[in-house]
């Protein structure tokens, strides 16, 4: 789950990471009053959407007057911001972050994520702040400094000094960086984060360190431990179908193709998408209905798939390990009738009572095509999707 910048900065402040003084704006009428309350003669206005590259898309502006603050708030609030990360539909802007400008002498990058190979949290830093870290890694990987944190002892002072002096900071600035890094690591652990980024972490003209931006992604699997963080979820920033899927414990990700996929098991789902592409098609989604697929869950899965207007055919690929294939077949038939499926449906069943399940589908009065193998199923569904162009 992603958080907005203003939410992440509030958590930063709780963990001792310096952030600019700021206020959130949710209506144009309140923008002038809040700017006056914040003080100063210039204000940075930031659109709050779950996307990077906001500045290049016009979502981060500098206002030189209260009138301009109000104009920009009117322009941004209620609109959709389109960045290179959002796609052409963009994301809705429901709130703005209002800050005073920070005089910056240097811009650094600081982030933390899980290194799955090392099985530890890795903290990364670079003197090239303000840039995409992926771009820095691709062009000048030697400019990225890393240190792994042992979970038994936590972040050590020597690790902060290694990063700080590697970035060319002064001794006082290294001490300040140590405080920031300790706060960053503790926040990562406390919130069960999957990614924390400060980009840029600025060194001010006075030599202080301030987190000018904040990105915080949380591990969905640990949200049950953090109801306070779950309450920060902004569904308006999520794909509508993906949000609906979460409500029914379905794992769904929208893709760009026209072949809908309904599979039980993440590995089998990925193999299914690979086979569709191998046979010349393009998957419209990743959808894992889980090992204990039920008729109700299959029906919800069909609704999700068919809500995508691009879908021209559906492939159902179920391995009956935990559940019997004849029960899955009953669920598929019930779902097809309930949802009134109007596109070709190809079903491949394997596992417990697979033959019985396939026989039930073949004997039904529904327009369901069965397949004996995954390769055959992929071939048939790609052909069916192409026939409907």
């Amino acid at each position: 789950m992603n958080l907005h910048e203003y939410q992440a900065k509030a958590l930063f402040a709780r963990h001792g990471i310096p952030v600019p003084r700021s206020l959130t704006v949710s209506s144009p009428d309140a923008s002038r009053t809040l700017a006056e309350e914040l003080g100063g003669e210039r204000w940075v206005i930031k659109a709050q959407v779950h996307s990077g590259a906001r500045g290049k898309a016009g979502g981060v502006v500098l206002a030189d007057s209260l009138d301009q603050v109000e104009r920009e708030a009117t322009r941004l609030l209620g609109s959709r911001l389109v960045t290179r990360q959002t796609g052409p539909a963009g994301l809705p802007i429901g709130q703005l972050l209002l800050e005073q400008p920070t005089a910056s002498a240097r811009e650094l990058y600081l982030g933390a994520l899980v290194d799955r190979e090392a099985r530890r949290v890795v903290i990364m830093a670079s003197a090239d702040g303000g840039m995409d870290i992926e771009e820095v890694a691709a062009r000048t990987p030697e400019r990225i400094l890393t240190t792994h944190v042992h979970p038994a002892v936590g972040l050590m002072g020597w690790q902060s000094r290694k990063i700080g002096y590697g970035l060319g900071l002064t001794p006082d600035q290294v001490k300040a960086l140590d405080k920031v890094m300790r706060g960053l690591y503790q926040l990562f652990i406390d919130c069960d984060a999957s990614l924390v980024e400060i980009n840029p972490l600025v060194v001010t003209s006075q030599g202080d360190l301030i987190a000018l931006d904040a990105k915080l992604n949380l591990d969905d699997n640990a949200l049950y431990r953090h109801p306070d963080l779950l309450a920060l979820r902004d569904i308006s920033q999520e794909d509508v179908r993906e949000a609906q899927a979460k409500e029914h414990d379905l794992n769904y990700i929208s893709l760009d193709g026209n072949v809908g996929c309904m599979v039980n098991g993440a590995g089998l789902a990925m193999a299914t998408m690979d086979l569709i592409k191998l046979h010349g098609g393009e998957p419209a989604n990743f959808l894992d209905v889980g090992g204990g697929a039920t008729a109700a869950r299959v029906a919800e899965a069909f609704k999700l798939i068919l809500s995508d207007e691009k879908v021209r055919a559906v492939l159902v690929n179920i391995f009956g390990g935990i559940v019997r294939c004849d029960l899955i077949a009953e669920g598929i038939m019930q779902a097809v009738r309930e949802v009134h499926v109007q596109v070709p449906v190809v079903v491949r069943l394997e596992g417990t009572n697979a033959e019985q399940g396939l026989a039930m589908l073949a004997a039904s009065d529904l327009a369901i095509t069965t397949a004996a193998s995954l390769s055959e199923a992929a071939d048939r569904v790609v052909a069916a999707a192409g026939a409907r162009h």
Side-chain angles (χ1 to χ4, degrees):
M1 186 182 87
N2 299 333
L3 297 185
H4 285 296
E5 177 188 355
Y6 77 92
Q7 295 168 329
K9 282 184 172 176
L11 291 170
F12 277 17
R14 284 188 220 168
H15 286 79
I17 301 173
V19 295
R21 183 167 174 262
S22 60
L23 295 170
T24 54
V25 178
S26 56
S27 72
D29 294 339
S31 60
R32 178 185 289 265
T33 302
L34 290 173
E36 289 178 327
E37 180 182 336
L38 192 61
E41 299 179 348
R42 306 179 82 196
W43 300 268
V44 180
I45 305 169
K46 298 182 176 183
Q48 295 300 283
V49 295
H50 289 173
S51 174
R54 291 172 296 166
K56 295 178 181 178
V60 179
V61 293
L62 182 63
D64 295 315
S65 67
L66 293 172
D67 287 339
Q68 188 179 359
V69 168
E70 192 168 355
R71 285 197 305 271
E72 293 295 344
T74 302
R75 176 180 70 86
L76 290 168
L77 285 169
S79 68
R80 299 183 73 88
L81 187 67
V82 179
T83 75
R84 58 183 173 80
Q85 296 181 6
T86 64
L91 290 171
I93 303 173
Q95 288 185 309
L96 306 174
L97 187 64
L98 197 63
E99 292 181 342
Q100 289 182 340
T102 300
S104 171
R106 292 185 63 191
E107 293 189 349
L108 311 173
Y109 169 90
L110 186 66
L113 73 160
V114 177
D115 183 337
R116 296 186 182 278
E117 185 175 349
R119 300 181 181 181
R120 295 183 183 181
V121 175
V122 59
I123 295 181
M124 303 184 301
S126 176
D128 297 320
M131 295 178 59
D132 290 336
I133 195 64
E134 294 84 2
E135 184 178 343
V136 176
R139 295 185 178 182
T140 53
E142 70 279 0
R143 292 183 65 80
I144 297 179
L145 309 177
T146 63
T147 186
H148 289 81
V149 183
H150 195 291
V153 296
L155 183 70
M156 305 293 286
W158 67 265
Q159 293 178 294
S160 300
R161 292 192 293 273
K162 171 189 171 184
I163 295 293
Y165 288 118
L167 294 172
L169 299 179
T170 66
D172 287 342
Q173 291 167 356
V174 170
K175 291 180 182 178
L177 179 68
D178 178 65
K179 180 181 177 182
V180 172
M181 288 178 61
R182 290 181 184 278
L184 187 79
Y185 177 71
Q186 196 59 51
L187 181 151
F188 194 99
I189 300 302
D190 289 347
C191 296
D192 285 308
S194 56
L195 173 69
V196 184
E197 281 189 337
I198 306 175
N199 190 23
L201 173 66
V202 301
V203 181
T204 69
S205 53
Q206 290 78 34
D208 300 321
L209 270 62
I210 296 181
L212 207 58
D213 197 5
K215 181 176 182 179
L216 179 54
N217 297 350
L218 306 177
D219 185 345
D220 290 348
N221 296 312
L223 285 174
Y224 72 93
R225 294 199 292 237
H226 305 283
D228 56 328
L229 297 178
L230 183 58
L232 301 178
R233 180 184 177 195
D234 185 352
I235 298 179
S236 73
Q237 300 295 304
E238 302 176 18
D239 181 278
V240 174
R241 287 183 291 273
E242 292 179 15
Q244 291 174 345
K246 289 181 180 179
E247 300 299 322
H248 298 282
D249 294 323
L250 298 169
N251 296 309
Y252 178 94
I253 299 174
S254 296
L255 299 173
D256 297 327
N258 63 0
V259 178
C261 304
M262 185 191 308
V263 191
N264 65 331
L268 185 59
M270 290 187 284
T272 301
M273 293 190 295
D274 286 345
L275 261 294
I276 288 172
K277 291 183 70 70
L278 183 65
H279 284 264
E282 289 292 336
N285 63 271
F286 169 97
L287 176 55
D288 173 15
V289 296
T294 62
R297 185 171 290 182
V298 169
E300 291 299 331
F302 266 117
K303 291 176 185 177
L304 277 172
I305 291 172
L306 297 176
S307 66
D308 185 349
E309 296 179 354
K310 301 191 304 295
V311 171
R312 295 292 178 264
V314 178
L315 172 57
V316 181
N317 184 22
I318 301 294
F319 179 81
I322 298 175
V323 294
R324 290 164 23 201
C325 288
D326 56 327
L327 296 180
I328 290 295
E330 289 180 3
I332 292 171
M333 291 187 291
Q334 177 183 330
V336 169
R337 291 190 181 101
E338 179 185 337
V339 182
H340 305 293
V341 179
Q342 301 296 315
V343 299
V345 177
V346 178
V347 178
R348 179 254 184 175
L349 300 177
E350 190 60 73
T352 307
N353 291 353
E355 292 183 2
Q356 290 176 241
L358 291 171
M360 292 168 59
L361 294 172
S364 73
D365 58 350
L366 302 172
I368 297 175
T369 301
T370 60
S373 69
L374 179 52
S375 181
E376 179 186 350
D379 187 57
R380 288 187 176 185
V381 78
V382 169
R388 296 180 59 85
H389 276 304

